[in-house]
Every structure is written in structure tokens, then in C-alpha cells.
Amino acid sequence: MRVVAFEAGGMAGVGLWNSDESAIRPFDLTPEEAAAGVLALVDRDLDGRPAQLTDRRLAADQVTLLAAAPRPRRNIFCVGKNYHAHAEEFAASGFDSSAKAGAVPAHPIVFSKVPETVIPDGAPILIDTSVSEAIDYEVELAVIVGRAGRGIAKEDALGHVWGYTLLNDVTARDLQQRHSQWLLGKSQDSFCPMSALAVTADEIDLADTQLRCWINEDLRQDANTAQLIFDVPTLISTISAGITLLPGDIIATGTPEGVGIGFDPPRYLKAGDRVRMEISGIGSLANPVEQV
């Protein structure tokens, strides 16, 4: 199932998006439920009362896209250095405080982004040069947790997944280096553009899903989830070891090679740029870059 979070007539909604993305069939949700985006469907499934589709049809040009989860319920779990080539390029950049332990990590590197970083498709990524002049982009597949669990075994992990979406883990590289940890550099306002689209778990082949990112017309990132160092079951098992994962939690699984810091000299985002991303089977995400 391929669903989209949207706003129409001043009201939030969640709907089934047809294959050519020309029309949306809304689910029957209360306004309070719909404000949570696709997390409303997660909640309904848990309650044993799955959301039902209405008979309405909305043309795509009648709606404004929202983020799939407009306001995550707690910090987004994120994974660093989780593609082999990206681990090497980041270690070589001089900005990697973990590089002394080796370019490729022995265990998942997990950090978080605050919920307020989330912005929808089309909203601007903001550059505040008084804070950072080294803003980078990162296309990532994000897991939407559907069932709570603690100490989840790898073999059971995918049973806790509701679905997947696409996000941009925007990063202030200078803050990331200066503070020797990643929360501040990852959690600036507007630093988590998120697609309006999400798909249920059965729609994605984790062994063969393509991720791409363009800056303006320049293809920068082009990789496949087959290249992940730590797969989704490993990430879920690792995070849930001592931390209870909750329905609606979001896990960003890491970015592949081709980020701005990997070039010499680095190719950071600047005002006037347009960042466009896509993940096969899910959809696309595009955001302009603006100076504060």
C-alpha cells in the first residue's frame, strides 16, 4: 500500500495514492488522527480497527503535501556511516570523530534528530551562516515502526516494521566536527525534509532498493540498500537492546556515498540550490535551499 499525507481545504488528511500519482483516495480519519500523518494508520492497525477508505477522490493538484509524519512523537533514530563507500569517504574527510576506530564501524553508530527538524516536500532547507557554512545533504531510507518491542531479535525485527519513507538527513558538518557528537549538527531547524509518501513493509525489497540524490541537475548519490553495512533487522535489534521501540518511531538507516563532504573541495549546499531525492518503490522529495 502506498499512502500520502496531505492538506486540503485547511484540513490534514491521509490517503491512498494511485499508481500515476494523479489522484488520492482519503482514509476515513478524525482531524486529530489525520494530523499525525501516516502514524494514524499505524495506530489504527494496532487498535485492530484499520482505517477504511472513503469514496472521495482528490486530484493531486488540489492538495498540499505534508511530511509522512509531520511531527514525530520523539527523536528520530539515525544511523551514521552505514554504507561502505560512504564510511570511507567520511573517514577521509577529516570531519569524522569516529575515524580513529576505523573507517567502517564494527557496530552501528546511532544518534538522533529532534522532531522539530521535520519539514515537508517543497519547504526550504534553511542556511543560517551565523551558525554554519557547511550544510550537507543525505538521502536515506527511513523505517516506520509499527509494533513496540524491547530486546528484539534480528529474526523477529521485520515483524515490528509498519513501512518505509524517504528523508533527507541534512547536516551541519562544521558543528558535527566541532562538538564531537552529532545532535547539534543534525538538529538545526529544517534539517529533516521528509517525503509525504510512505509504503507498507510489503512494498519494499530491502535487498534491492535504489536511492538517488540530485543537487540541481547533478546526480550526487546513486546506491542500493544491498550495500548497507548493517541491515534493517540489525539496526532494530541494536536500538531495541535496552530501549523500547514504540509504534510510530522512525529509524533513518544511513546515507550512501556522494555527500558534499566527500568531494575535494567539499560541495556544500548554498542558497538557490534545489535538492531532489528519490527511492525506488516509494517516491521523491524535493526542497529548495534558502538563506535565513
Side-chain angles (χ1 to χ4, degrees):
M1 183 170 63
R2 192 162 179 260
V3 299
V4 62
F6 65 89
E7 182 180 82
M11 300 290 290
V14 181
L16 190 68
W17 207 342
N18 66 6
S19 58
D20 64 2
E21 298 185 2
S22 64
I24 297 166
R25 186 178 176 190
F27 287 96
D28 185 11
L29 299 168
T30 68
E32 294 76 18
E33 288 175 319
V38 301
L39 303 189
L41 304 185
V42 174
D43 293 342
R44 283 292 198 95
D45 287 349
L46 277 173
D47 289 346
R49 50 187 189 97
Q52 301 301 306
L53 288 164
T54 67
D55 292 329
R56 297 171 58 212
R57 298 289 192 281
L58 296 174
D61 59 7
Q62 293 180 303
V63 309
T64 300
L65 297 179
L66 303 176
R71 175 64 188 270
R73 291 166 180 165
R74 57 178 180 172
N75 282 19
I76 298 167
F77 294 98
C78 303
V79 181
K81 297 174 60 173
N82 200 26
Y83 286 79
H84 288 277
H86 172 62
E88 297 287 351
E89 74 173 350
F90 189 47
S93 72
F95 281 68
D96 181 9
S97 59
S98 68
K100 62 184 179 181
V104 177
H107 305 281
I109 297 172
V110 182
F111 58 95
S112 72
K113 296 173 84 82
V114 299
E116 293 81 3
T117 57
V118 172
I119 60 172
D121 191 314
I125 298 167
L126 302 176
I127 291 181
D128 183 347
T129 53
S130 69
V131 178
S132 173
E133 296 183 304
I135 309 302
D136 214 341
Y137 52 87
E138 297 188 1
V139 60
E140 303 203 13
L141 175 72
V143 178
I144 301 171
V145 175
R147 187 161 60 89
R150 182 178 186 275
I152 300 168
K154 285 176 61 175
E155 58 267 26
D156 300 326
L158 294 182
H160 290 260
V161 175
W162 180 86
Y164 302 92
T165 189
L166 157 64
L167 62 78
N168 182 356
D169 180 18
V170 182
T171 307
R173 296 296 185 194
D174 43 5
L175 297 184
Q176 186 180 35
Q177 181 186 50
R178 182 183 309 151
H179 297 283
S180 299
Q181 52 74 39
W182 297 359
L183 180 70
L184 295 180
K186 298 285 189 174
S187 291
Q188 302 290 300
D189 293 345
S190 78
F191 273 24
C192 190
M194 183 183 293
S195 176
L197 288 153
V199 298
T200 48
D202 58 301
E203 295 278 342
I204 290 292
D205 178 2
L206 292 173
D208 184 19
T209 292
Q210 202 73 16
L211 302 84
R212 295 184 177 89
C213 173
W214 293 260
I215 307 302
N216 304 317
E217 299 305 316
D218 182 17
L219 178 62
R220 298 279 185 88
Q221 295 180 277
D222 188 2
N224 193 285
T225 51
Q227 299 161 345
L228 282 166
I229 298 170
F230 304 107
D231 61 15
V232 170
T234 299
L235 299 179
I236 290 172
S237 179
T238 298
I239 295 169
S240 71
I243 297 175
T244 300
L245 282 174
L246 301 176
D249 277 344
I250 296 170
I251 303 170
T253 58
T255 199
E257 180 185 26
V259 296
I261 193 63
F263 293 91
D264 186 14
R267 298 180 184 177
Y268 295 128
L269 296 176
K270 60 185 184 300
D273 283 343
R274 180 173 183 266
V275 184
R276 181 167 61 92
M277 301 178 163
E278 66 178 32
I279 295 182
S280 59
I282 298 178
S284 62
L285 171 67
N287 299 86
V289 180
E290 294 183 5
Q291 179 75 44
V292 173

